[in-house]
Amino acid sequence: MQVFDLEAQGLRALNATLHGLSGQTNETAWEIVNPRGSHAIAVGVDAPVDITVRGSTGYYCAGMNKQATIRVKGSAGPGVAENMMSGTVIIDGDASQYAGATGRGGLLVIKGNASSRCGISMKGIDIVVHGNIGHMSAFMAQSGSLVVLGNAGEALGDSLYEARLFVRGSVKSLGADCIEKEMRPEHLLLLADLLKRGEADHLAKPGEFRRYGSARKLYTFNIDNAAAY
């Protein structure tokens, strides 16, 4: 286990060290102590390593992650796992605004609540939230899956493309072009896998969720749908 004291050694040194890792490294387990809400912790990691952050983080923790498994033993500020490409990011506490924004792959797990715009413009990432999510979540989401064990705020899935949204609790309102859809057997199988990978299969069953997706009326401009824009 490699232990890095962020307070003593500094953020630039941390990220430079992590960026220097490669697929051949034998330094595969890292622990970051004294994060004290610092921003941009472990951004741009591109190696199959396990990183544990012992405390809460600021903006953009684990942004642009590739391959790594990063767990935050606390809460995360805005933009956690922003533009994530692959790997896994697990937040043991809550996440602030736009968690998983523009994510292209990998898995983001939030064991507490997520604030507004969770999964905004997601492009392939899978997000599992054990608690609730705020307003405008999955805005302009293009692909991937968002699973919410709690409730969803206003305008869920506004201007949605082809992302799959699964909500167990209530939805305050749906955004433009987002509708409830039938839960078919293939969706139950997909959801069961996401719950297992998201460390939530002991908390909920696939049959307890409702599925939401795009009505596909906003892909191209149509004068008959002008009121929806």
Side-chain angles (χ1 to χ4, degrees):
M1 174 73 73
Q2 308 295 313
V3 179
F4 196 102
D5 188 332
L6 193 58
E7 183 180 19
Q9 298 169 269
L11 181 65
R12 286 182 179 272
L14 169 66
N15 286 335
T17 300
L18 295 176
H19 293 168
L21 301 175
S22 67
Q24 290 74 42
T25 182
N26 59 1
E27 298 176 334
T28 57
W30 290 77
E31 184 175 67
I32 301 170
V33 297
N34 293 319
R36 298 194 173 189
S38 296
H39 304 317
I41 294 174
V43 297
V45 180
D46 187 4
V49 296
D50 289 286
I51 300 170
T52 299
V53 183
R54 296 286 177 183
S56 296
T57 68
Y59 288 82
Y60 299 116
C61 176
M64 301 179 289
N65 184 56
K66 290 178 71 175
Q67 304 189 67
T69 296
I70 301 173
R71 183 185 288 269
V72 176
K73 294 289 188 177
S75 295
V80 63
E82 184 266 345
N83 204 36
M84 180 174 169
M85 307 300 282
S86 63
T88 302
V89 176
I90 303 170
I91 310 301
D92 283 351
D94 299 322
S96 190
Q97 303 177 78
Y98 41 91
T102 73
R104 295 178 178 271
L107 173 68
L108 169 62
V109 180
I110 300 167
K111 294 198 168 182
N113 301 309
S115 187
S116 60
R117 298 173 178 84
C118 179
I120 184 172
S121 195
M122 50 192 280
K123 298 176 174 69
I125 189 174
D126 291 323
I127 303 174
V128 179
V129 180
H130 291 199
N132 305 318
I133 59 173
H135 66 270
M136 292 293 288
S137 290
F139 172 62
M140 290 189 69
Q142 296 168 39
S143 64
S145 300
L146 172 61
V147 179
V148 182
L149 276 68
N151 304 320
E154 296 176 340
L156 175 69
D158 190 80
S159 303
L160 187 69
Y161 287 82
E162 289 302 309
R164 300 169 295 268
L165 313 181
F166 302 97
V167 181
R168 184 187 185 204
S170 63
V171 176
K172 192 162 186 181
S173 66
L174 296 175
D177 215 39
C178 183
I179 59 173
E180 185 172 354
K181 292 193 168 186
E182 177 189 7
M183 183 78 86
R184 299 194 296 270
E186 62 265 32
H187 302 123
L188 292 172
L189 289 173
L190 170 67
L191 186 50
D193 178 65
L194 287 167
L195 289 171
K196 182 177 181 180
R197 292 166 54 214
E199 302 179 3
D201 53 333
H202 64 294
L203 299 173
K205 303 300 180 185
E208 300 170 354
F209 290 77
R210 290 178 291 168
R211 181 172 76 99
Y212 301 90
S214 174
R216 300 171 180 166
K217 292 182 178 179
L218 301 183
Y219 279 15
T220 55
F221 180 77
N222 185 323
I223 190 62
D224 294 333
N225 300 325
Y229 289 86

